[in-house]
Amino acid sequence: MKRRNYLISIIIAVMIITSSTNVFAVDNNSWTDATKTSQGQSEKWSEWCDKWEKIKNSPTQMSLSPGSDETQLNFAWYSKTCEIKPNLKISDNPEMKNSTALQVTTTNATEGFKSNKATATDLKPNTRYYYSYTINGKWTKPTLYQTKNSKRYSFAFVGDPQIGASWRCMPKDLSEDEIQDRAVRNDSFNWNNTIESIIKRDCNISFIISSGDQIQSRDKGKSNALYNKNEIEYSGYLSPSLLKSMPVATTIGNHDSPSGNYSYHFNTPNQSGLGQTTAGSDYYYRYGNTLFIILNSNSKKFSEHKEFIENAIKLNEDATWRVVSMHHDIYGSGEHSSSPKLTRMRYKIVPILEANNIDVVLTGHDHIYSRSYILKGAKLDESSMITEKDYEKYTNGEKEKNEQYENYMRSIENDYAVTNKSFMVVKKPKGVLYLTADSSTGSKYYNLSEKQEAYIASRWQESVPTYSIIDVTNKTFTINTYRTDNNKKIDSSFTIKK
């Protein structure tokens, strides 16, 4: 009897230890069930379900994107094919007096819809503006857009909303359409909560950057004009009412890349045609003292990315900060980032980033949070590389991990590339900081890698959506990252100081 009780005690202890170390190992199928969150257990869930039934089949919500600089704002929205040509106007008063009519460009989108785009220019800082547009010939109620002070400003950074990715966790006795509907409803509710958490944390942010994979479904190169299976996901992504007043600089993720629908929903500035896939290409914008360069890392034409970066910098040589956003986490701490496919991408793009004095690279893809040290000078060790197929066999257990695998993992540690290990403040850095965002919706989480890499300063995974608030001045670039369930920090405040 004593022995039995002893064994039971050991089992319970192991269970406690295992549960307390979730940060290091998260089930690959882990997700955030909206109904089990504090928000989902309130009346907000039933209210959301009612709203969802009204909007899910009409992806016509307004999408705002940053303009070429802080004096501009880009608009994009769907209208039904049968509607007369849509109009949009902007004013500095809610009565829309003396409003300015914006030029609207309309193109065919998916079946039954048209894509409309417009740009507001000559916007003044710290000013309230209102915009209104027509639906079936009737003007909408004016919506507020508040410009900010671009000399000292903040923005939010989020990773992989991937609306609809929780379909894997839906009941299997449902039809395919019902599964997608339930998943999108779940993920969109969590997405709304994340946006609300961001604005509650800092109502003065100027914009949001998304590291990509706005939605889950893709057509993989099929006829874009007829593919509309992801439009319900765009309905969910665009559903937060707060996004009607908040620009989002979207990055093209691997789930966005094969579908032209991305380009219909977002009006990104300075599209270059370089780094092109079906969804779009590299683009940039300037905000205050910062040049933001958004790369389509689904394109492996690195010479084009190099050309684009150099061209953008030539036009913005006076920018204090140079920030790149790309989807794939070339210096992350999840299972994806160590794959040969991504490490080869690392060694091709990193020399370009370093040669152009990029300060920070914002990434996603791995659905985990990580922050690197300041890195510079990493080089590919071709003799230690393994194939993508072998890597997959090692990681999924089909092949026993051996010396070949260990050599490969050691070769990509890049400990020699770490230039500074200051934990909270790095002054006059020599190299690049790489920040990977966790899932912003909990539609899907991945495991952290087995071992924390030498290039990683901090990492986190506890199956909770997160977001970062980044504060920028002429001398400092400060990052703080929070979980959405209790709004506590998941990492120390980190500052780059020039």
Side-chain angles (χ1 to χ4, degrees):
M1 188 68 176
K2 288 183 178 180
R3 177 176 175 80
R4 183 187 174 195
N5 290 340
Y6 175 72
L7 289 172
I8 291 173
S9 299
I10 291 177
I11 291 170
I12 293 173
V14 170
M15 290 173 65
I16 293 172
I17 292 170
T18 302
S19 65
S20 68
T21 54
N22 262 345
V23 63
F24 299 111
V26 176
D27 183 353
N28 221 29
N29 292 321
S30 181
W31 65 301
T32 294
D33 182 343
T35 64
K36 294 181 180 179
T37 64
S38 59
Q39 297 93 339
Q41 293 180 345
S42 70
E43 68 279 358
K44 289 181 67 176
W45 174 249
S46 60
E47 291 172 357
W48 166 247
C49 290
D50 291 340
K51 178 182 178 181
W52 178 241
E53 290 303 313
K54 297 175 183 177
I55 68 172
K56 66 181 182 180
N57 294 318
S58 184
T60 55
Q61 298 98 321
M62 179 62 74
S63 168
L64 302 185
S65 299
S68 292
D69 59 31
E70 62 271 16
T71 70
Q72 299 189 12
L73 177 66
N74 285 2
F75 301 84
W77 74 101
Y78 271 20
S79 59
K80 293 183 179 179
T81 304
C82 59
E83 289 185 30
I84 60 175
K85 183 174 173 59
N87 294 298
L88 189 150
K89 58 185 179 181
I90 191 167
S91 175
D92 60 4
N93 66 83
E95 290 78 27
M96 303 302 292
K97 295 178 181 178
N98 301 316
S99 61
T100 300
L102 302 184
Q103 182 177 351
V104 177
T105 301
T106 300
T107 59
N108 289 327
T110 52
E111 187 175 9
F113 295 102
K114 290 187 176 181
S115 171
N116 309 290
K117 296 181 179 180
T119 298
T121 60
D122 300 320
L123 302 180
K124 299 176 183 178
N126 297 317
T127 303
R128 285 173 172 258
Y129 289 95
Y130 299 83
Y131 69 88
S132 176
Y133 58 104
T134 56
I135 298 178
N136 289 325
K138 295 182 179 180
W139 290 98
T140 62
K141 183 180 179 180
T143 300
L144 171 67
Y145 171 67
Q146 169 83 51
T147 58
K148 306 297 193 301
N149 181 354
S150 62
K151 293 182 179 180
R152 295 174 62 96
Y153 70 94
S154 302
F155 69 94
F157 172 52
V158 298
D160 296 70
Q162 207 163 328
I163 304 295
S166 67
W167 67 268
R168 296 170 177 80
C169 306
M170 295 298 116
K172 304 306 178 188
D173 58 344
L174 301 176
S175 69
E176 184 178 331
D177 287 345
E178 288 173 326
I179 287 173
Q180 184 184 38
D181 188 336
R182 294 266 191 101
V184 175
R185 183 181 67 178
N186 181 87
D187 304 343
S188 303
F189 180 81
N190 293 334
W191 176 233
N192 273 266
N193 288 332
T194 296
I195 299 301
E196 288 180 10
S197 296
I198 290 171
I199 302 304
K200 285 180 181 177
R201 169 67 60 181
D202 187 348
C203 63
N204 288 315
I205 63 168
S206 297
F207 53 87
I208 299 170
I209 292 181
S210 166
S211 66
D213 281 356
Q214 279 63 231
I215 48 85
Q216 162 69 18
S217 303
R218 47 193 172 178
D219 58 357
K220 298 183 179 179
K222 297 178 183 178
S223 175
N224 296 316
L226 298 177
Y227 185 79
N228 58 9
K229 290 293 186 181
N230 58 18
E231 291 296 7
I232 188 174
E233 296 166 3
Y234 279 114
S235 292
Y237 172 83
L238 295 169
S239 66
S241 58
L242 291 170
L243 291 186
K244 309 298 184 290
S245 301
M246 180 59 60
V248 181
T250 52
T251 308
I252 299 175
N254 55 295
H255 284 262
D256 307 306
S257 179
S259 176
N261 302 11
Y262 171 95
S263 65
Y264 302 144
H265 280 289
F266 304 115
N267 184 7
T268 54
N270 300 313
Q271 279 272 343
S272 65
L274 299 170
Q276 182 82 38
T277 62
T278 304
S281 63
D282 298 344
Y283 72 94
Y284 78 88
Y285 62 99
R286 175 75 178 262
Y287 194 87
N289 58 14
T290 310
L291 171 62
F292 290 92
I293 298 173
I294 317 296
L295 299 181
N296 181 3
S297 56
N298 300 280
S299 168
K300 302 306 183 287
K301 296 180 180 179
F302 295 99
S303 61
E304 292 191 5
H305 294 315
K306 179 177 182 291
E307 180 183 351
F308 174 73
I309 291 171
E310 291 173 349
N311 289 343
I313 288 174
K314 282 181 182 177
L315 295 171
N316 296 274
E317 291 182 344
D318 62 329
T320 303
W321 301 98
R322 297 173 182 176
V323 177
V324 164
S325 176
M326 54 186 281
H327 180 61
H328 297 90
D329 58 331
I330 53 175
Y331 270 119
S333 193
E335 293 178 334
H336 281 102
S337 59
S338 294
S339 72
K341 182 164 59 177
L342 281 194
T343 53
R344 286 190 181 278
M345 181 189 295
R346 174 198 299 178
Y347 298 116
K348 289 181 178 178
I349 194 71
V350 161
I352 300 171
L353 301 172
E354 293 178 355
N356 286 282
N357 296 317
I358 301 302
D359 296 294
V360 177
V361 176
L362 306 174
T363 64
H365 190 55
D366 239 331
H367 300 243
I368 60 95
Y369 170 81
S370 68
R371 172 173 56 82
S372 77
Y373 291 111
I374 303 296
L375 306 174
K376 187 175 183 180
K379 294 181 180 180
L380 171 64
D381 179 1
E382 189 65 62
S383 65
S384 297
M385 288 298 292
I386 59 177
T387 66
E388 190 71 20
K389 287 184 178 180
D390 279 342
Y391 178 78
E392 290 176 359
K393 289 179 180 179
Y394 284 130
T395 54
N396 66 24
E398 289 182 47
K399 195 171 182 178
E400 187 175 349
K401 294 175 181 177
N402 54 22
E403 188 62 25
Q404 181 190 41
Y405 172 80
E406 297 299 335
N407 281 340
Y408 167 69
M409 295 302 291
R410 281 193 294 269
S411 75
I412 63 173
E413 281 278 321
N414 295 165
D415 53 336
Y416 59 87
V418 177
T419 65
N420 192 308
K421 285 198 172 185
S422 297
F423 193 66
M424 298 178 68
V425 179
V426 175
K427 298 179 180 179
K428 297 181 180 179
K430 297 180 180 178
V432 184
L433 173 75
Y434 298 85
L435 187 71
T436 300
D438 193 6
S439 169
S440 56
T441 63
S443 63
K444 181 171 63 176
Y445 300 104
Y446 284 136
N447 296 335
L448 288 167
S449 52
E450 290 180 330
K451 175 187 174 185
Q452 182 165 323
E453 297 81 356
Y455 55 74
I456 291 294
S458 179
R459 65 182 195 165
W460 187 92
Q461 176 59 287
E462 289 190 10
S463 295
V464 175
T466 63
Y467 63 92
S468 297
I469 300 292
I470 299 176
D471 303 305
V472 185
T473 72
N474 279 330
K475 293 184 178 180
T476 59
F477 189 98
T478 302
I479 302 167
N480 286 286
T481 304
Y482 307 88
R483 51 193 294 162
T484 58
D485 58 348
N486 57 22
N487 278 306
K488 292 184 179 180
K489 286 185 182 180
I490 66 169
D491 189 9
S492 301
S493 179
F494 180 78
T495 299
I496 300 174
K497 193 170 185 179
K498 288 194 174 182

